[in-house]
């Protein structure tokens, strides 16, 4: 139906549709308002209807917008509009002074009063002219610079690089715009846009001055129009424009990072020990089975001040042997460095070949642990114990665990706190929904948190699905979902293609094939002489691969995109698309920043991607930065052209700053 557009493109269409509907509504409101004023001409109506940008529409409406009290409006109240029109037409000083005598009244007592009032009216008319605003805005956008100065140069802050800074408006990158905005908000810097005004004022003179050289009267009007009215308004417009562009970029970066985080490869079939590190209160640990179910929970003290290493080793030894643990997951919070060293030493001493550890981001774990959801899941446990379970599970199945956390708390953004909460939540929810539907959900194991992100299913229906599942002991086929309260035919139609039943009676229920395409799937199998029992076999797969899809589509009277999706699903039944991604990196030993030397080579995991580079975990407490200039031998515009969050990359150490705990890395090997 969409010509195989993906959901990102469809969302863009939806956003543009909303934008243009809003624009058309605004046009109708503006046309009505101007018409009510009796000022709507055919030419103005044509201009308004032809506008495709909100800023241009605002410029056209500006002269007719009801204004608060201004110097010009007060001058009009004094009856000086006629003098303003005369001044614009004649522009010579002596005739204008003579004309001003005609406008004396109770509040206009001198020629100077009259001329000043007329000049104020003219200045506002010129500043409100759509063509003038457009020219000044475009010129400032092209040739202006964003400039920042320290409010107090002696005061130290993270914004010191912006204490005396300037960069062209046309070139400043998104992350610097947001950094400057934040520095200004926190009152460390003052910011503005500077531009050579002579060219702008010269252009305005050529538009409005009738004499050469221009008279002092019209020169004063144009200077006032620009300095007092236009320049501040254009600066405000451009600052808003820059901020909007920067927020769009930050949202894009956050969204791509979040999607990569959610779609990290799950580590299946491993019993895990999750550890939430700490100092004074000890490290909470939790053993979870291969499905993420909690088996045992406790605390030990491998870190100061208690440092009961012997007791912790004894506990570790028991847990590993008793539960045949395959992997240990350590949160990267407070005490992580010492805990990691303790675990690495334990693995080295025991010499267990199949035991290794990995570090998991704790971002959002505390948010989940203190949530109502966690309290319902583990009412008998305290916050840190719940966190240990979450840390283990987020390696087993990142998507299933991370959907329990507010997307903005996942720690993979760039200045996300500077973006309007509503806009951030809407965008990130769309990313989570996209990721969940891309992977698909097994209705017999999914939590309500996961189910509510399936297209068409809300929180209430998700809870009802789990409740009904518990009552019947699990779903045997997709049709049973129609018996779930509040899950009607429409919701079923929208959601069912994303819901799987891995161990159902119908093999197609375990695939992304929609039930409405089951007859077509059967027809396809009949066409190649196969049946449902052969799904996934080499013989059937080869027959499907060898098909001329266009010929088959014509024979079965089916759409090529639908048929292509069905064949792909039959070739890899039960496939998890995340399995194609690199798995979590498990380690057996630990390094400290002091061990690093320039030129050392590492295999690292990308933990966050930002506009200026990427942070890579190389097994040291501190993530190293690969600057964008160190990502490729060729010039790239953005790090996401070459890497994504979760990627495993080969890096070399460029420099180490032990004092400030900074590591510079490169992905470009020296020849």
């Amino acid at each position: 139906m969409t010509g195989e557009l993906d959901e990102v493109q469809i969302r863009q269409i939806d956003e543009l549709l909303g934008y243009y509907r809003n624009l058309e509504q605004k046009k109708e409101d503006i046309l009505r308002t101007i018409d009510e004023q009796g000022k709507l001409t055919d030419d103005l109506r044509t201009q308004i209807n032809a506008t495709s940008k909100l800023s241009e529409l605002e410029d056209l409406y500006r002269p007719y917008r009801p204004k608060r009290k201004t110097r010009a409006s007060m001058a009009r109240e004094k009856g000086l509009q006629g003098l303003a029109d005369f001044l614009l037409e004649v522009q010579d000083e002596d005739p204008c002074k003579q004309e001003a005598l005609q406008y004396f009244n109770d509040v206009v007592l001198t020629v100077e009063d009259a001329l000043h009032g007329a000049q104020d009216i003219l200045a506002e008319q010129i500043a409100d002219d759509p063509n003038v605003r457009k020219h000044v805005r475009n010129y400032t956008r092209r040739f202006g610079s964003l400039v920042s100065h320290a409010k107090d140069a002696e005061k130290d802050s993270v914004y010191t690089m912006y204490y005396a800074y300037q960069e062209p408006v046309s070139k400043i990158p998104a992350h610097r715009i947001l950094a400057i905005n934040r520095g200004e908000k926190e009152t460390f810097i003052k910011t503005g846009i500077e531009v050579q005004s002579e060219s702008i004022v010269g252009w305005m003179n050529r538009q409005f001055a009738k004499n050469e050289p221009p008279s002092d009267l019209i020169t004063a009007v144009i200077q006032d129009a620009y300095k007092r009215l236009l320049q501040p308004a254009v600066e405000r417009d451009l600052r808003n424009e820059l901020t909007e562009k920067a927020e769009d970029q930050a949202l894009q970066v956050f969204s791509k990072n979040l999607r990569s985080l959610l779609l990290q490869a799950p580590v299946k079939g491993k019993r895990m020990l999750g550890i939430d590190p700490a100092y004074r209160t000890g490290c909470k640990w939790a053993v979870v089975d291969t499905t993420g179910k909690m088996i045992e929970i406790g605390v030990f003290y491998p870190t100061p001040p208690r440092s009961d290493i012997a007791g912790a080793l004894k506990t570790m030894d028991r847990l590993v042997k008793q539960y045949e643990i395959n992997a240990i997951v350590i949160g990267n919070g407070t005490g992580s460095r010492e805990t990691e060293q303790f675990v690495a030493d334990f693995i080295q001493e025991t010499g267990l070949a199949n035991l290794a550890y990995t570090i998991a981001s704790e971002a959002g774990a505390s948010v989940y642990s203190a949530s109502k959801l966690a309290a319902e899941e583990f009412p008998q446990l305290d916050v840190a114990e719940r966190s240990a379970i979450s840390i283990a599970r987020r390696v087993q199945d990142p998507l299933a665990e991370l959907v329990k956390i507010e997307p903005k708390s996942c720690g993979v953004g760039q200045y996300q706190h500077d973006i309007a909460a509503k806009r951030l939540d809407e965008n990130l929810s769309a990313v989570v929904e996209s990721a969940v539907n891309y992977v698909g959900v097994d209705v017999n194991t999914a939590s309500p948190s996961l189910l509510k992100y399936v297209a068409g299913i809300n929180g209430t229906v998700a809870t009802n699905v789990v409740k009904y599942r518990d009552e019947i002991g699990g779903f045997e086929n997709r049709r049973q979902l129609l018996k779930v309260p509040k899950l009607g035919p429409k919701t079923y139609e929208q959601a069912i293609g994303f819901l799987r039943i891995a161990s159902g009676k119908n093999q197609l229920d375990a695939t992304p094939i929609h039930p409405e395409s089951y007859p077509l799937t059967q027809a396809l199998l009949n066409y190649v002489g196969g049946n449902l029992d052969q799904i996934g076999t080499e013989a059937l797969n080869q027959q499907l691969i060898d098909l001329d899809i266009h010929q088959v589509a014509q024979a079965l009277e089916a759409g090529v995109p639908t048929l292509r999706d069905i064949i792909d699903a039959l070739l890899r039944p039960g496939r998890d698309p995340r399995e194609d991604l690199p798995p979590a990196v498990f380690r057996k030993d630990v390094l400290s920043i002091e061990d690093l030397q320039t030129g050392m080579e590492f295999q690292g995991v990308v933990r966050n991607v930002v506009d200026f580079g990427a942070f890579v975990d190389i097994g040291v407490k501190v993530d190293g930065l690969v600057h964008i200039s160190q990502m490729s031998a060729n010039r790239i515009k953005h790090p996401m052209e070459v890497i994504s969050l979760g990627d495993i990359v080969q890096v070399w150490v460029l420099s180490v700053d032990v004092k400030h705990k900074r590591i510079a890395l490169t992905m470009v090997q020296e020849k």
Side-chain angles (χ1 to χ4, degrees):
M1 293 294 287
T2 66
E4 292 186 279
L5 294 174
D6 63 33
E7 81 272 14
V8 174
Q9 293 166 312
I10 291 169
R11 283 189 200 281
Q12 286 173 341
I13 290 168
D14 186 45
E15 285 172 15
L16 283 170
L17 180 63
Y19 174 83
Y20 286 119
R21 278 180 174 162
N22 178 48
L23 187 71
E24 289 306 309
Q25 183 59 54
K26 197 141 191 148
K27 284 180 185 179
E28 285 179 25
D29 294 342
I30 286 171
L31 286 168
R32 189 181 63 253
T33 304
I34 298 173
D35 195 29
E36 285 169 359
Q37 295 173 13
K39 297 176 181 177
L40 184 61
T41 63
D42 290 341
D43 183 46
L44 182 57
R45 185 191 295 275
T46 302
Q47 280 183 286
I48 288 171
N49 283 328
T51 304
S52 60
K53 290 182 180 175
L54 207 53
S55 58
E56 290 176 4
L57 183 62
E58 291 289 352
D59 285 350
L60 288 168
Y61 178 46
R62 191 175 181 83
Y64 310 97
R65 182 195 295 277
K67 291 184 175 68
R68 57 182 175 79
K69 213 161 195 179
T70 63
R71 280 164 48 174
S73 67
M74 289 189 284
R76 287 190 185 96
E77 287 171 8
K78 293 175 184 177
L80 294 171
Q81 180 66 56
L83 181 58
D85 296 338
F86 184 88
L87 195 159
L88 182 62
E89 184 61 35
V90 177
Q91 297 189 7
D92 284 333
E93 198 157 333
D94 289 337
C96 288
K97 284 182 176 178
Q98 278 299 119
E99 181 70 13
L101 297 171
Q102 311 299 316
Y103 289 86
F104 282 16
N105 55 40
D106 293 345
V107 286
V108 180
L109 304 175
T110 66
V111 168
E112 285 73 20
D113 285 347
L115 289 176
H116 283 154
Q119 285 175 306
D120 285 341
I121 292 169
L122 265 190
E124 187 173 274
Q125 283 178 203
I126 290 170
D128 283 350
D129 186 296
N131 292 325
V132 172
R133 292 182 83 82
K134 186 175 181 180
H135 175 84
V136 174
R137 190 186 292 116
N138 287 343
Y139 187 92
T140 309
R141 190 189 287 119
R142 284 180 65 200
F143 301 108
S145 292
L146 190 65
V147 178
S148 62
H149 304 284
K151 277 200 168 182
D152 181 357
E154 302 299 314
K155 202 171 183 180
D156 192 31
S157 76
V158 294
Y159 305 104
T160 49
M161 74 171 282
Y162 301 114
Y163 279 9
Y165 187 83
Q166 76 174 62
E167 190 165 3
V169 167
S170 59
K171 293 181 180 176
I172 188 164
H175 63 277
R176 279 209 279 277
I177 293 166
L178 294 176
I180 287 170
N181 286 357
R182 189 184 286 181
E184 186 177 39
K185 190 178 178 182
E186 294 177 13
T187 68
F188 286 103
I189 56 176
K190 292 180 288 187
T191 309
I193 292 176
E194 293 182 2
V195 65
Q196 293 291 335
S197 60
E198 291 81 1
S199 296
I200 295 173
V201 171
W203 179 87
M204 290 171 71
N205 272 322
R206 289 192 293 278
Q207 304 305 305
F208 296 99
K210 296 195 172 180
N211 306 322
E212 189 57 50
S215 70
D216 290 344
L217 280 177
I218 200 71
T219 298
V221 165
I222 288 169
Q223 286 280 3
D224 184 45
Y226 176 68
K227 286 287 182 189
R228 179 171 62 88
L229 301 172
L230 263 178
Q231 193 267 337
V234 166
E235 178 175 322
R236 196 163 50 246
D237 287 351
L238 290 180
R239 289 291 303 277
N240 288 338
E241 187 181 293
L242 286 173
T243 299
E244 193 174 325
K245 182 184 83 172
E247 286 184 354
D248 285 344
Q249 175 66 10
L251 269 176
Q252 202 173 34
V253 169
F254 199 151
S255 297
K256 286 181 179 176
N257 277 336
L258 179 62
R259 184 177 175 85
S260 298
L261 179 70
L262 294 171
L263 293 179
Q264 286 183 106
V267 177
K268 294 180 178 177
K270 286 184 184 285
R271 288 192 173 198
M272 300 216 172
L273 173 65
I275 303 175
D276 182 12
Y279 288 124
R280 185 180 53 81
T281 55
C283 299
K284 299 293 193 297
W285 54 261
V287 178
V288 297
D289 69 10
T290 55
T291 66
K293 183 182 176 184
M294 190 266 290
I295 302 172
E296 189 183 340
I297 201 152
V299 62
F300 51 37
Y301 299 87
T303 56
R306 193 153 162 180
S307 296
D308 180 10
I309 303 289
L313 284 170
K314 187 177 176 183
T315 303
M316 282 275 286
D317 191 55
R318 175 182 71 80
L319 295 175
V320 168
K321 288 174 181 172
Q322 183 178 343
Y323 298 114
E324 297 177 349
I325 287 167
N326 311 113
I328 299 168
V329 187
I330 305 164
N332 67 345
T334 306
S336 174
R337 176 85 177 82
E338 293 81 358
T339 308
E340 184 184 0
Q341 186 67 62
F342 162 74
V343 170
D345 290 345
F346 172 80
I347 292 171
Q348 293 296 315
E349 286 171 21
T350 55
L352 292 169
N354 66 337
L355 185 62
Y357 76 88
T358 189
I359 303 292
S361 168
E362 279 189 23
S366 58
V367 176
Y368 159 72
S369 303
S371 70
K372 183 183 173 187
L373 179 66
E376 288 171 359
E377 195 173 0
F378 302 109
Q380 77 282 14
L381 303 181
D382 70 23
V383 170
E385 289 169 334
R386 294 171 191 158
S387 185
I389 298 168
S390 179
I391 286 165
R393 284 177 171 179
R394 59 176 59 191
V395 172
Q396 276 188 326
D397 191 340
L399 181 60
E401 194 60 25
L402 290 169
V403 292
K404 299 174 184 175
I405 300 163
E406 280 189 331
K408 63 186 175 188
S409 301
C410 286
V412 290
Q414 174 180 286
Y415 295 100
Q416 65 264 32
H417 303 297
D418 299 315
I419 301 169
K422 184 174 182 286
R423 191 172 178 221
L424 183 67
D425 290 342
E426 283 174 357
N427 276 266
L428 299 187
S429 292
V431 173
V432 180
E433 188 177 300
S434 169
V436 170
N437 292 299
Y438 172 69
V439 172
V441 171
D442 186 341
V443 288
N444 281 329
T445 59
S447 67
S449 308
L450 192 58
L451 284 165
K452 75 177 183 182
Y453 281 108
V454 172
I457 292 182
N458 59 29
T460 304
V461 175
T463 304
N464 290 347
V465 168
V466 174
K467 192 175 175 184
Y468 186 71
R469 177 181 78 198
D470 293 342
E471 286 173 11
I472 64 171
F475 294 97
E476 293 181 352
N477 61 67
R478 280 171 161 173
R479 297 291 301 172
Q480 283 179 290
L481 283 154
L482 283 166
K483 296 177 181 177
V484 173
K486 297 194 176 178
L487 198 158
K490 268 290 171 197
T491 301
Y492 177 85
E493 182 186 14
Q494 189 177 0
I496 200 64
F498 307 111
L499 299 172
R500 317 272 192 271
I501 297 173
S503 53
K505 292 180 178 178
N506 185 341
Q507 292 95 317
L508 296 182
D509 286 349
T511 72
I513 299 170
H514 198 285
E516 67 189 16
S517 294
Y518 284 3
L520 176 58
T521 307
Q522 189 60 59
L524 174 66
L525 290 169
N526 294 340
Y527 184 89
V528 297
N531 58 58
L532 290 175
D533 293 331
Q534 291 177 298
I535 291 175
T537 63
E538 203 170 317
L540 180 62
N541 284 359
Q542 197 55 54
Q543 285 179 291
L544 292 170
I545 290 166
D546 293 340
L547 284 175
D548 181 333
I549 195 164
H550 293 279
Q551 185 181 323
V552 178
Q554 199 168 7
L556 299 178
E557 298 181 347
V560 171
T562 305
L563 204 56
R564 190 185 292 120
D565 285 347
I566 290 172
I567 290 171
D568 188 50
L570 293 175
L571 286 171
R572 296 198 271 186
R575 168 189 173 253
D576 186 333
R578 296 173 295 171
E579 289 168 5
D580 297 338
L581 299 165
V585 172
F586 284 90
R587 298 190 169 93
K588 295 198 174 191
D589 205 353
V590 67
L591 276 173
S592 71
I593 194 168
E594 290 80 9
D595 297 327
L596 298 182
Q597 290 180 8
T598 302
M600 276 186 168
E601 183 180 355
F602 291 96
Q603 190 180 59
V605 183
V606 179
R607 294 296 185 198
N608 200 6
V609 184
V610 291
D611 286 340
F612 53 85
F615 292 95
V616 177
D617 175 3
I618 57 171
V620 183
K621 171 71 173 166
V622 184
D623 290 343
L625 173 66
V626 183
H627 189 266
I628 186 171
S629 60
Q630 296 295 328
M631 288 187 167
S632 172
N634 303 315
R635 181 176 169 78
I636 58 171
K637 289 184 177 178
H638 197 277
M640 285 182 176
E641 290 177 29
V642 292
I643 56 168
S644 300
L645 188 144
D647 282 358
I648 295 169
V649 292
Q650 212 70 19
V651 292
W652 291 266
V653 177
L654 271 182
S655 64
V656 182
D657 181 346
V658 177
K659 182 183 174 185
H660 295 102
K661 291 186 167 40
R662 289 177 184 160
I663 305 165
L665 303 171
T666 180
M667 289 165 57
V668 183
Q669 187 177 14
E670 287 188 20
K671 294 179 181 176

